[in-house]
Amino acid sequence: MKKLLFLAIFSLLYQFSDAQDQTITGFFKENTEQQLQLEASFDKNLNVESIDKNLKLLSSKPHHLSSPGSKTNAEYILGLYKKWGWDAAIETFHVLFPTPKTRILEMTSPTSYKAILKEPELPEDPDSGQTGQLPTYNAYSADGDVSGELIFVNYGLPDDYKELDKMGIDVKGKIVIAKYGRSWRGTKPKVAQEHGAIGCIIYSDPMDDGYFKGDVYPKGAFKNEYGVQRGSVMDMVIYPGDPLTPGIGATKDAKRYDRLNAPNLLKIPVLPISYHDATPLLKALEGPVVPNDWQGGLPFAYHVGPGKTKVHLKVEFSWDIVPCYNVIAKIKGSKFPDEWIIRGNHQDAWVNGAADPISGLSAMLEEAKSIGNLLKTGWKPDRTLVYCAWDGEEPGLIGSTEWLETHQKELQQKAVVYINSDGNSRGFLYAQGSHALEPLMDEIAKTVIDPQTKVSVFERKKARDAIMANNTEAKEKDMNKTSLKLGAMGSGSDYSAFIQHAGIPALNLGYGGEGNGGEYHSIYDSYHHFTTFKDPGLKYEVTLAQTAGRAVLRMANADVLPFDYTHLYTTINGYASELEKLLDDSRKSTQIENELIAANAYKVAQDPTKKLTVPATKSDVPYLDFSPIQNSLVTLKKETDSLKAAYRAKINDNKVSPNFNRSLYRAEQQLLNKDGLPRRDWYKHTIYAPGFYTGYGVKTMPGIREAIEQRNWNEAQQQIKINAEAINRLADYLETAYKVR
Amino acid sequence: MKKLLFLAIFSLLYQFSDAQDQTITGFFKENTEQQLQLEASFDKNLNVESIDKNLKLLSSKPHHLSSPGSKTNAEYILGLYKKWGWDAAIETFHVLFPTPKTRILEMTSPTSYKAILKEPELPEDPDSGQTGQLPTYNAYSADGDVSGELIFVNYGLPDDYKELDKMGIDVKGKIVIAKYGRSWRGTKPKVAQEHGAIGCIIYSDPMDDGYFKGDVYPKGAFKNEYGVQRGSVMDMVIYPGDPLTPGIGATKDAKRYDRLNAPNLLKIPVLPISYHDATPLLKALEGPVVPNDWQGGLPFAYHVGPGKTKVHLKVEFSWDIVPCYNVIAKIKGSKFPDEWIIRGNHQDAWVNGAADPISGLSAMLEEAKSIGNLLKTGWKPDRTLVYCAWDGEEPGLIGSTEWLETHQKELQQKAVVYINSDGNSRGFLYAQGSHALEPLMDEIAKTVIDPQTKVSVFERKKARDAIMANNTEAKEKDMNKTSLKLGAMGSGSDYSAFIQHAGIPALNLGYGGEGNGGEYHSIYDSYHHFTTFKDPGLKYEVTLAQTAGRAVLRMANADVLPFDYTHLYTTINGYASELEKLLDDSRKSTQIENELIAANAYKVAQDPTKKLTVPATKSDVPYLDFSPIQNSLVTLKKETDSLKAAYRAKINDNKVSPNFNRSLYRAEQQLLNKDGLPRRDWYKHTIYAPGFYTGYGVKTMPGIREAIEQRNWNEAQQQIKINAEAINRLADYLETAYKVR
């Protein structure tokens, strides 16, 4: 009976679609129409009102990890899934999560100032004055009570310390103040600690997300003088997840590190502040005026320090083991129940988190609702769907990482793909992921329609890239672009463990660029802010659900899974060329710099009154042997081309073996190196990792790239070998896939 | 007796110099040593104390055109020259110079604010509270009393109005407020007037020369909240000098324009203000938030306007004909009295003008003093020296222009070169000028020693260029530079009439880059400011005197005048290539932009909520016939190469005719086009002119370049022909020079 209803609806929809001649990668011709009708039906079920209801409700209270609100939200989500016909449960982990007991920041010299460390309630924003908000702090700061001179370190990146060196300024034994931005926040205290600082203050400069960008909240979207970005400073580039249980699930009885020995936790105290609180501190600094590009948006000339400025920073935390609630919902696949299409978005926020994460979560829930409606028509996915609402993402991707680590073996067998989303807003598609999935996403991006302009989201993004390109050649290149390129994955959201630790193919999807603001991780990331500035009308919530939902449904029902490894080959080949160029450029620039130093050029060119030091000569950059990579890429090209031919044959023959599909989705695991990256063995993927000194920012072929950047030539040569071995493993694996099965 | 003393001193100096084997371009071997000894003696007479005395005295009171201080200074300078043995006199012109009677700027809506329009006295700066200061105003603003809505136009450049067009904002009937900078100030009201604005306010944004650049005065060198840049808005790119007497000397009885018909005077009122006065106006603006790169340094989000902001601007001036005192001092040449080496620097300031112009003037006076000392030893220059202290430079290069126009015929016969300086400070050599003089300046730059680093000023500048270059290729290129390149001359100082109107070879010399500040044209351009921030110890005052003095002495005594036209050929050839590339680039970018428009890319990419208009399609860029230029350059290369061979032969033969030298220095006049540039016929030079929309900024081969920039293809083709004719004239002239004489 249900099946009949299902077919009736589909035929009705079919008459109004122009999809009759479309093909979809991975689908036999005979199954294409049905899939397109399914997707049309899926889209029809997506509804702004129900997204709005969830967005409003789930952001109606603070709901950080361990808060009552987080538990309520998890239970609400669980209830929704069950109502929609999913098999859902909460899976709980037990993880370390510090919350503040004491937060003091005061300037004691040359004048007194006690930082207020508090974002005020705004009458315009009904959620801004709620109780239960986490105070402004950086999670996993060390406990500390330090006093000392203050030094302004710009964004607190390694290059900024080189600039300080030039000025003869040392941060050892001092407290640093850094701007938010240009790197993941955790990089700032880490680099400060490496340089001997005893404390770190991070503030939001108005140049970065305050009045320099537009009107401030509540008049506009940007950060007002009191807004503070909370956030984790756990060193996630060593490993994410519960700091006490790297590599294993943080179950009740898991073996745990003592927190003082946890390798990814800081030794110094850190505190984030507003530009209201930063102003008196920065204004009091003496010492040299900052280099030109360090000046921020506050209305005075910034100085580096120290001078007479002394500050006292005290922070103490409750270091609690708290429950972390992942809501996991499943629909068993009718044909391949042991092949899982996993979709996830986190549910925890720093405060109310309407944008981060509820915008992405509400879109994902809408997909789940729509799929629930499809179920009611009698439809079943071929493969199992697993929809996950993660807890503890904000402190360190904890919920997703612990789940992956707990179920790693099973997931490496069964997980076909992990599809992530997070904060979402009005604007342009962004899509990162495993490059074998590029044709899938390309096809989707060309069929999802931008709600504002009614062209495909691919066309809109392409137009934007072309308009924004700053020279004719780049514009021409963008205009002639015929397919979507996936970005490489760094870190910053829940895909990290899947792709980088377990080699499970992943995608990260969202929209943005026209909903910029300064609300991130503050109490002002609210329903009012979101619906006023970030996506009024919630059109892009629907668009995200369409985009991610289509990816889920195509992966769920594909006859031949849409992995095209020729795209991965092309991408890796590009990275390899970049690395050779990076080394050559480094050699040339080292040579020129050394010549300039030898010719006394710095000594002669620099302003003598500034007493700048002259850079030290660097050792010459050797030539490295890239042939292992080059040879492995020749093999990979051959095998991926042959695999593609085999793939096409199967599509034409309407015939494929389950083994072939399994090989396709498990192949990426061949790129893992069991020993992981140097000094951070949790990261196993040889092609994608977050940068050791960038955090969220990706480093591709990270073992080689970072060794070159750090001028560790021996390691670079070793990593070339390790990367080549991984590529060869993948090539061999793919050869077996298309030959034997 | 004197001659003996002279020789005795020279031989003494000679023993301590390592100059025995040096050669100097333009000097026979037999005369080289004597010249080097002369220069050493000249340098020895330069003295920081006497520079300091003049700097202090001449900047001790306001001395703008028509002020008592200007007359006192002129008479003091005259006295110095006479004391030093020069034949000196004041030559007076009678020129139009408006000074304010009424200055009112007030905001009348949404709130009231009356601009204070006054720079306060500072206890740290003893000169800042003097009477007789010109109030803050823009000379040659029209009288006006206007009220209207206010629009922020960024820097007020043509491209800024294109941005406003995109936003659908029209300035017609409105008052605009523009930032100082990025163009000559006069461009701003001119472009505003072209777009229908009824008034123009110009303010100094702290991002450009205020706290964004460093501490503000008196703590630091940069502009404090009350500092205002005065300055002329006469449209000097039409013609400089007295607005009533273009092309002729402003003598007492000269035929004058009625000022309301003067072609280079504005029709709308203009007023410069401080960022203190600008803040309430900018803060009150509504309308769209500015494009990202329009945001300035004030601590709020800038809006374009208008909204409810209304302002009232009233300015009235006394339009007086005032005396303009040029002090002209001469030493008759002993061999070639009718060949003049002219050196000049202006003497008038906007207020006290310690930097602008007294720093350059004091250096020039020191040269005159030192030359006076040489005279006392019995020495005489071979050619006549003419040292000029110009009045009325600030309002519009008036003193120098009127002198040139009055004596144009004689000067085109006699003037070998005009060597200019103006404000000077600590830092790096800058040198612009006629490119045939490149080898002369190269040689000088390699022998003048930088006072801070003790390398040559050439080496220091080269090192700085290499250090500052932002890529390896540029660094390498800078490092391998073996000779000084002269910049091309735009406008902004007294060389303009000489080179651009009369074709007299010119140089503009100075030091800077380590003495930046915000004092320009304000009451804070004082002795205190200069000696504290711009050149403490006045070392670069001596260095400028050495540099310009050496140029004067070499030109005065050269056996064969050091003009090397192969350098001019190379330079013009480079410009011609640039123009071909400019046209090609314009063609490509037009094509791509039109394709983007046709493909709806703007419509699709732009944020629909901003309701931006889509750019209009442009007509295709045609191919132009560059062959006339290309052929003329082939000829010029041949003739300049032959001339160079003739030149070398004369040096080797120790024999040259006066005719040959005369041809060398008069050759540049062949590059003049009698009809001048389109729409501004005062500018006769076909190779160098200030840009119609840049003001001070140069446009090389301006007839062609600006026609291409303005998409006037017919004019571009005509100008190619005109330029080619000028180049051919020069080539023919040079051929005659080396063949016949």
Side-chain angles (χ1 to χ4, degrees):
Chain A
M1 177 62 200
K2 271 192 183 167
K3 199 133 198 173
L4 276 177
L5 181 66
F6 168 68
L7 286 172
I9 293 171
F10 275 3
S11 339
L12 200 68
L13 285 169
Y14 184 56
Q15 296 178 27
F16 299 102
S17 82
D18 55 356
Q20 287 94 327
D21 296 329
Q22 240 180 291
T23 61
I24 317 175
T25 303
F27 284 80
F28 298 152
K29 198 163 170 51
E30 61 192 35
N31 296 333
T32 301
E33 280 175 25
Q34 190 173 331
Q35 177 68 17
L36 290 171
Q37 289 168 13
L38 176 77
E39 291 172 10
S41 190
F42 170 85
D43 282 1
K44 216 173 143 68
N45 285 326
L46 302 173
N47 176 289
V48 168
E49 287 70 34
S50 71
I51 293 174
D52 187 37
K53 192 186 150 200
N54 284 329
L55 183 75
K56 189 162 192 177
L57 186 82
L58 291 165
S59 71
S60 65
K61 59 210 164 284
H63 58 282
H64 54 271
L65 173 65
S66 84
S67 65
S70 161
K71 186 149 196 241
T72 313
N73 277 0
E75 283 162 358
Y76 171 75
I77 295 164
L78 181 70
L80 287 181
Y81 278 121
K82 286 185 171 168
K83 190 175 88 181
W84 296 330
W86 293 65
D87 177 18
I90 291 179
E91 184 167 352
T92 307
F93 294 95
H94 303 273
V95 304
L96 181 71
F97 182 54
T99 50
K101 289 193 295 189
T102 310
R103 296 173 309 134
I104 296 170
L105 173 64
E106 50 193 1
M107 177 164 62
T108 55
S109 162
T111 54
S112 287
Y113 176 76
K114 196 166 158 66
I116 56 177
L117 308 179
K118 168 87 187 136
E119 298 162 302
E121 179 176 359
L122 294 171
E124 292 84 349
D125 188 337
D127 294 339
S128 61
Q130 293 171 333
T131 55
Q133 296 169 348
L134 270 180
T136 55
Y137 81 115
N138 288 130
Y140 307 103
S141 153
D143 288 338
D145 184 353
V146 295
S147 293
E149 291 180 326
L150 187 67
I151 302 284
F152 174 66
V153 296
N154 196 25
Y155 290 97
L157 305 180
D159 278 350
D160 295 323
Y161 287 87
K162 283 185 196 155
E163 228 19 69
L164 289 171
D165 280 350
K166 263 174 64 179
M167 292 183 257
I169 289 174
D170 188 359
V171 304
K172 201 165 281 172
K174 301 194 178 77
I175 296 171
V176 302
I177 180 165
K179 296 178 201 161
Y180 261 116
R182 305 273 173 99
S183 75
W184 175 58
R185 83 184 69 73
T187 306
K188 300 164 197 289
K190 162 167 139 174
V191 177
Q193 180 176 296
E194 285 176 1
H195 285 81
I198 58 172
C200 178
I201 302 161
I202 315 178
Y203 82 101
S204 298
D205 195 281
M207 189 178 269
D208 293 308
D209 62 356
Y211 50 72
F212 248 69
K213 299 293 184 196
D215 289 321
V216 303
Y217 198 61
K219 185 184 177 194
F222 292 93
K223 201 174 245 103
N224 63 38
E225 63 177 313
Y226 300 107
V228 179
Q229 182 189 139
R230 289 158 191 73
S232 176
V233 292
M234 176 204 291
D235 199 356
M236 285 185 257
V237 304
I238 306 294
Y239 58 89
D242 176 30
L244 306 185
T245 61
I248 58 168
T251 53
K252 201 144 207 159
D253 306 317
K255 192 163 177 259
R256 286 178 161 74
Y257 269 106
D258 180 289
R259 85 167 160 88
L260 296 176
N261 299 330
N264 69 345
L265 296 189
L266 281 170
K267 306 294 181 197
I268 63 171
V270 193
L271 193 68
I273 63 174
S274 66
Y275 60 84
H276 178 93
D277 277 339
T279 296
L281 277 57
L282 292 172
K283 230 173 176 168
L285 285 174
E286 296 174 9
V289 167
V290 297
N292 250 336
D293 56 350
W294 286 30
Q295 175 72 32
L298 295 168
F300 48 83
Y302 290 25
H303 287 242
V304 175
K308 302 185 198 77
T309 315
K310 285 210 172 116
V311 295
H312 171 219
L313 170 65
K314 182 174 180 189
V315 285
E316 278 183 310
F317 302 93
S318 281
W319 293 90
D320 303 314
I321 303 286
V322 304
C324 174
Y325 304 113
N326 292 330
V327 189
I328 312 289
K330 293 184 186 171
I331 296 171
K332 204 177 202 174
S334 58
K335 290 190 185 160
F336 311 107
D338 285 343
E339 294 182 10
W340 294 4
I341 311 303
I342 311 176
R343 169 83 175 91
N345 195 102
H346 69 101
Q347 55 103 336
D348 69 307
W350 277 116
V351 195
N352 292 53
D356 179 10
I358 302 304
S359 61
L361 182 66
S362 303
M364 184 181 89
L365 289 175
E366 195 62 15
E367 297 162 39
K369 187 201 81 176
S370 182
I371 290 168
N373 283 340
L374 295 177
L375 290 180
K376 285 175 196 150
T377 66
W379 171 82
K380 290 267 185 201
D382 289 356
R383 297 185 177 81
T384 293
L385 305 185
V386 185
Y387 267 56
C388 311
W390 309 116
D391 201 359
E393 190 267 1
E394 292 298 357
L397 320 177
I398 295 180
S400 57
T401 302
E402 297 311 318
W403 191 75
L404 180 283
E405 288 174 346
T406 303
H407 306 290
Q408 182 168 350
K409 211 169 160 188
E410 185 180 12
L411 288 168
Q412 285 180 320
Q413 295 295 314
K414 296 182 181 171
V416 174
V417 66
Y418 172 69
I419 301 170
N420 188 68
S421 62
D422 201 326
N424 188 59
S425 80
R426 204 164 61 87
F428 306 87
L429 173 66
Y430 63 81
Q432 307 165 301
S434 299
H435 285 87
L437 293 172
E438 220 162 46
L440 168 79
M441 283 316 302
D442 175 51
E443 221 165 61
I444 291 173
K446 287 171 178 163
T447 60
V448 172
I449 299 304
D450 176 71
Q452 295 184 114
T453 61
K454 313 301 176 200
V455 299
S456 74
V457 298
F458 169 75
E459 281 302 325
R460 183 160 203 234
K461 186 176 156 42
K462 174 179 152 174
R464 153 87 160 205
D465 290 347
I467 299 298
M468 302 295 283
N470 58 10
N471 64 65
T472 306
E473 284 65 33
K475 278 178 195 286
E476 196 163 15
K477 208 176 145 196
D478 284 327
M479 263 196 63
N480 296 331
K481 214 189 280 173
T482 56
S483 65
L484 183 81
K485 296 276 165 229
L486 286 180
M489 283 174 147
S491 187
S493 197
D494 291 303
Y495 53 78
S496 198
F498 291 91
I499 179 98
Q500 288 147 355
H501 189 63
I504 292 165
L507 288 168
N508 185 41
L509 305 174
Y511 289 84
E514 293 177 326
N516 297 332
E519 82 293 343
Y520 179 66
H521 291 188
S522 77
I523 66 166
Y524 307 122
D525 181 0
S526 64
Y527 181 78
H528 175 77
H529 189 287
F530 190 83
T531 53
T532 311
F533 299 113
K534 294 190 79 80
D535 189 13
L538 308 185
K539 291 177 181 169
Y540 284 87
E541 297 294 289
V542 177
T543 311
L544 174 58
Q546 286 175 345
T547 310
R550 201 158 297 182
V552 166
L553 294 176
R554 292 194 180 180
M555 296 298 280
N557 292 345
D559 297 305
V560 192
L561 281 167
F563 288 92
D564 182 346
Y565 285 95
T566 64
H567 282 251
L568 180 62
Y569 158 76
T570 305
T571 304
I572 299 179
N573 194 49
Y575 296 156
S577 305
E578 280 172 27
L579 291 174
E580 292 185 48
K581 184 167 183 314
L582 178 68
L583 187 71
D584 285 345
D585 288 351
S586 174
R587 184 179 308 109
K588 269 181 226 149
S589 70
T590 299
Q591 190 191 327
I592 296 288
E593 286 298 318
N594 286 347
E595 283 173 31
L596 285 171
I597 295 162
N600 252 341
Y602 281 93
K603 212 174 157 56
V604 164
Q606 287 171 348
D607 185 340
T609 64
K610 292 193 175 157
K611 299 189 169 47
L612 302 174
T613 61
V614 166
T617 303
K618 287 177 181 158
S619 63
D620 289 338
V621 175
Y623 288 86
L624 296 179
D625 175 11
F626 277 97
S627 68
I629 294 268
Q630 291 159 332
N631 288 320
S632 71
L633 283 167
V634 170
T635 313
L636 184 63
K637 175 158 178 40
K638 192 164 70 93
E639 303 305 347
T640 55
D641 284 347
S642 303
L643 176 64
K644 189 163 189 170
Y647 189 105
R648 284 187 178 138
K650 284 170 210 295
I651 292 284
N652 289 337
D653 300 350
N654 288 354
K655 198 157 177 289
V656 67
S657 72
N659 272 349
F660 186 77
N661 273 330
R662 272 197 290 275
S663 296
L664 284 176
Y665 77 73
R666 290 178 188 164
E668 183 143 358
Q669 292 174 47
Q670 302 305 315
L671 291 173
L672 301 182
N673 169 32
K674 67 181 186 332
D675 297 328
L677 292 177
R679 294 166 298 283
R680 43 181 184 145
D681 64 4
W682 187 89
Y683 286 94
K684 308 289 187 196
H685 206 296
T686 52
I687 307 299
Y688 315 115
F692 193 81
Y693 286 111
T694 57
Y696 290 169
V698 66
K699 294 285 175 181
T700 53
M701 302 181 95
I704 308 172
R705 190 179 297 267
E706 293 193 326
I708 293 175
E709 286 172 351
Q710 300 299 319
R711 308 179 78 83
N712 188 339
W713 314 120
N714 287 337
E715 186 169 297
Q717 188 64 68
Q718 287 158 15
Q719 290 291 323
I720 287 174
K721 203 165 147 267
I722 287 167
N723 263 259
E725 283 165 5
I727 295 167
N728 282 327
R729 265 199 310 278
L730 175 64
D732 292 350
Y733 183 90
L734 294 177
E735 186 187 14
T736 314
Y738 74 81
K739 277 199 174 151
V740 179
R741 299 162 213 207
Chain B
M1 178 62 199
K2 272 193 179 165
K3 197 132 199 175
L4 275 177
L5 180 65
F6 168 65
L7 286 172
I9 292 171
F10 275 3
S11 344
L12 200 68
L13 284 168
Y14 183 56
Q15 294 178 29
F16 297 103
S17 82
D18 54 358
Q20 287 95 327
D21 297 329
Q22 241 180 287
T23 61
I24 319 174
T25 303
F27 284 81
F28 299 151
K29 200 166 169 49
E30 63 192 35
N31 296 333
T32 302
E33 280 175 23
Q34 190 175 328
Q35 176 70 14
L36 289 171
Q37 288 169 14
L38 175 77
E39 291 171 10
S41 190
F42 170 84
D43 283 359
K44 217 176 144 65
N45 285 326
L46 302 174
N47 176 288
V48 168
E49 287 70 31
S50 69
I51 293 175
D52 187 39
K53 192 184 150 204
N54 285 328
L55 183 75
K56 189 163 191 173
L57 187 82
L58 290 165
S59 70
S60 65
K61 60 210 164 288
H63 57 284
H64 53 272
L65 174 64
S66 83
S67 67
S70 160
K71 184 147 198 243
T72 315
N73 276 0
E75 283 161 358
Y76 171 76
I77 294 163
L78 180 70
L80 288 180
Y81 278 122
K82 287 184 170 166
K83 191 175 88 183
W84 296 331
W86 292 65
D87 176 17
I90 290 179
E91 184 167 352
T92 307
F93 293 95
H94 302 274
V95 304
L96 181 71
F97 182 54
T99 50
K101 289 193 296 190
T102 310
R103 297 173 308 133
I104 295 170
L105 173 65
E106 50 193 0
M107 177 165 60
T108 55
S109 163
T111 53
S112 287
Y113 176 76
K114 196 167 159 65
I116 56 177
L117 308 179
K118 167 87 187 136
E119 298 164 301
E121 177 175 1
L122 294 172
E124 293 85 348
D125 188 336
D127 294 339
S128 61
Q130 293 170 334
T131 55
Q133 295 169 350
L134 269 181
T136 55
Y137 82 115
N138 287 132
Y140 307 102
S141 154
D143 288 337
D145 185 354
V146 294
S147 293
E149 290 180 327
L150 187 68
I151 302 284
F152 174 66
V153 296
N154 196 25
Y155 290 98
L157 305 180
D159 279 350
D160 295 323
Y161 287 87
K162 284 185 194 155
E163 241 358 85
L164 289 171
D165 280 349
K166 265 175 61 179
M167 292 183 257
I169 290 174
D170 188 0
V171 304
K172 202 164 283 173
K174 302 195 177 78
I175 296 171
V176 303
I177 179 165
K179 297 177 200 160
Y180 261 116
R182 305 273 172 98
S183 75
W184 174 59
R185 81 183 72 71
T187 307
K188 300 164 197 289
K190 161 166 140 175
V191 178
Q193 181 176 297
E194 286 176 0
H195 285 81
I198 57 172
C200 177
I201 302 161
I202 316 178
Y203 81 101
S204 298
D205 195 281
M207 189 179 268
D208 293 307
D209 63 354
Y211 49 72
F212 248 70
K213 299 293 184 195
D215 289 321
V216 301
Y217 198 60
K219 185 184 177 194
F222 292 93
K223 200 173 246 102
N224 63 38
E225 62 177 314
Y226 300 106
V228 178
Q229 182 189 138
R230 288 158 191 73
S232 177
V233 292
M234 177 204 293
D235 199 357
M236 285 185 258
V237 303
I238 306 293
Y239 58 90
D242 175 29
L244 307 185
T245 61
I248 58 168
T251 52
K252 202 150 206 156
D253 307 315
K255 191 163 175 255
R256 287 179 160 74
Y257 268 105
D258 180 288
R259 82 167 163 86
L260 295 176
N261 299 328
N264 69 345
L265 296 189
L266 281 170
K267 307 293 181 196
I268 63 170
V270 193
L271 193 69
I273 62 174
S274 67
Y275 59 85
H276 178 93
D277 276 339
T279 295
L281 276 56
L282 293 172
K283 231 175 176 166
L285 286 175
E286 297 174 8
V289 168
V290 297
N292 250 336
D293 56 351
W294 286 30
Q295 176 71 32
L298 295 169
F300 49 83
Y302 290 24
H303 288 242
V304 174
K308 301 185 200 74
T309 315
K310 286 212 173 110
V311 296
H312 171 219
L313 170 65
K314 181 175 181 186
V315 285
E316 279 183 307
F317 302 93
S318 283
W319 293 90
D320 303 315
I321 302 287
V322 303
C324 173
Y325 305 111
N326 293 329
V327 190
I328 312 289
K330 294 184 184 170
I331 295 171
K332 204 178 205 176
S334 59
K335 290 190 188 160
F336 312 107
D338 285 343
E339 295 182 8
W340 294 3
I341 312 301
I342 311 174
R343 169 83 173 93
N345 196 102
H346 68 102
Q347 56 103 337
D348 68 307
W350 277 115
V351 195
N352 292 55
D356 179 10
I358 303 303
S359 61
L361 181 67
S362 303
M364 184 181 88
L365 290 175
E366 194 62 14
E367 296 162 40
K369 188 199 80 176
S370 182
I371 290 168
N373 283 339
L374 294 178
L375 290 180
K376 285 176 197 149
T377 66
W379 171 83
K380 290 267 184 203
D382 289 356
R383 296 185 178 81
T384 294
L385 305 185
V386 184
Y387 267 55
C388 312
W390 309 115
D391 200 358
E393 189 267 359
E394 292 297 358
L397 320 178
I398 296 181
S400 56
T401 302
E402 297 311 319
W403 192 75
L404 179 284
E405 289 174 346
T406 302
H407 305 290
Q408 182 168 348
K409 212 171 160 187
E410 183 179 15
L411 288 168
Q412 285 181 321
Q413 295 295 316
K414 296 181 180 172
V416 174
V417 66
Y418 172 68
I419 301 171
N420 189 68
S421 62
D422 200 327
N424 188 59
S425 80
R426 203 163 64 86
F428 306 87
L429 173 66
Y430 63 80
Q432 306 165 303
S434 299
H435 285 87
L437 293 171
E438 218 162 47
L440 167 80
M441 282 317 301
D442 174 52
E443 220 166 62
I444 291 173
K446 285 171 179 163
T447 58
V448 172
I449 300 303
D450 176 72
Q452 295 182 116
T453 61
K454 312 301 174 202
V455 300
S456 74
V457 297
F458 169 76
E459 281 301 326
R460 184 160 202 236
K461 185 174 156 45
K462 173 179 153 173
R464 154 89 159 203
D465 290 346
I467 298 300
M468 301 296 281
N470 59 10
N471 66 65
T472 306
E473 284 66 33
K475 278 178 194 287
E476 197 162 14
K477 207 176 144 196
D478 284 327
M479 264 195 63
N480 294 332
K481 213 188 280 174
T482 56
S483 65
L484 183 80
K485 296 275 166 232
L486 286 181
M489 285 176 147
S491 187
S493 197
D494 291 302
Y495 51 80
S496 198
F498 292 91
I499 179 99
Q500 288 148 354
H501 188 65
I504 293 165
L507 289 168
N508 185 41
L509 304 174
Y511 289 84
E514 293 177 327
N516 298 332
E519 82 294 342
Y520 180 65
H521 292 189
S522 78
I523 65 168
Y524 307 123
D525 180 1
S526 64
Y527 182 79
H528 176 77
H529 188 287
F530 189 85
T531 52
T532 312
F533 299 113
K534 293 191 79 82
D535 188 14
L538 309 185
K539 290 177 181 169
Y540 284 87
E541 297 295 289
V542 178
T543 310
L544 173 57
Q546 287 174 348
T547 310
R550 200 157 298 181
V552 167
L553 295 175
R554 291 193 180 180
M555 296 298 280
N557 292 346
D559 296 304
V560 191
L561 281 168
F563 288 92
D564 182 345
Y565 285 95
T566 64
H567 282 251
L568 181 61
Y569 159 75
T570 304
T571 305
I572 299 179
N573 193 49
Y575 296 156
S577 306
E578 281 173 26
L579 291 175
E580 294 187 47
K581 187 170 181 311
L582 179 67
L583 187 72
D584 286 344
D585 289 350
S586 174
R587 185 178 307 111
K588 269 182 224 148
S589 70
T590 300
Q591 189 190 327
I592 296 290
E593 287 297 320
N594 286 347
E595 283 174 30
L596 286 171
I597 295 163
N600 252 343
Y602 281 93
K603 210 173 159 55
V604 162
Q606 287 172 347
D607 186 338
T609 65
K610 292 192 175 159
K611 300 187 171 46
L612 302 175
T613 62
V614 167
T617 304
K618 288 176 182 159
S619 63
D620 289 339
V621 176
Y623 288 87
L624 296 179
D625 175 11
F626 278 97
S627 68
I629 294 268
Q630 291 160 332
N631 288 320
S632 70
L633 283 166
V634 170
T635 313
L636 184 63
K637 177 161 177 36
K638 192 165 70 91
E639 302 306 345
T640 56
D641 284 347
S642 303
L643 176 64
K644 190 163 189 170
Y647 190 105
R648 283 190 178 135
K650 285 169 207 297
I651 291 285
N652 288 337
D653 300 349
N654 288 356
K655 196 155 176 289
V656 67
S657 73
N659 273 350
F660 187 77
N661 273 331
R662 272 198 290 274
S663 296
L664 284 176
Y665 76 74
R666 291 178 188 164
E668 184 144 356
Q669 293 174 45
Q670 303 304 315
L671 291 172
L672 301 182
N673 169 32
K674 67 179 186 335
D675 298 327
L677 292 176
R679 293 164 299 283
R680 41 181 184 144
D681 63 3
W682 187 90
Y683 285 95
K684 308 289 188 196
H685 206 295
T686 53
I687 307 299
Y688 315 115
F692 193 82
Y693 286 112
T694 58
Y696 290 169
V698 67
K699 294 284 174 179
T700 53
M701 302 179 95
I704 308 172
R705 190 179 296 269
E706 294 193 325
I708 293 175
E709 287 172 351
Q710 301 298 321
R711 309 179 78 82
N712 188 340
W713 314 121
N714 287 337
E715 185 169 297
Q717 188 65 68
Q718 287 159 15
Q719 290 291 323
I720 287 175
K721 202 166 146 266
I722 287 167
N723 263 258
E725 283 164 5
I727 296 167
N728 281 328
R729 266 199 309 277
L730 176 65
D732 292 350
Y733 184 92
L734 295 176
E735 186 187 13
T736 314
Y738 74 81
K739 277 198 176 156
V740 178
R741 301 163 212 206

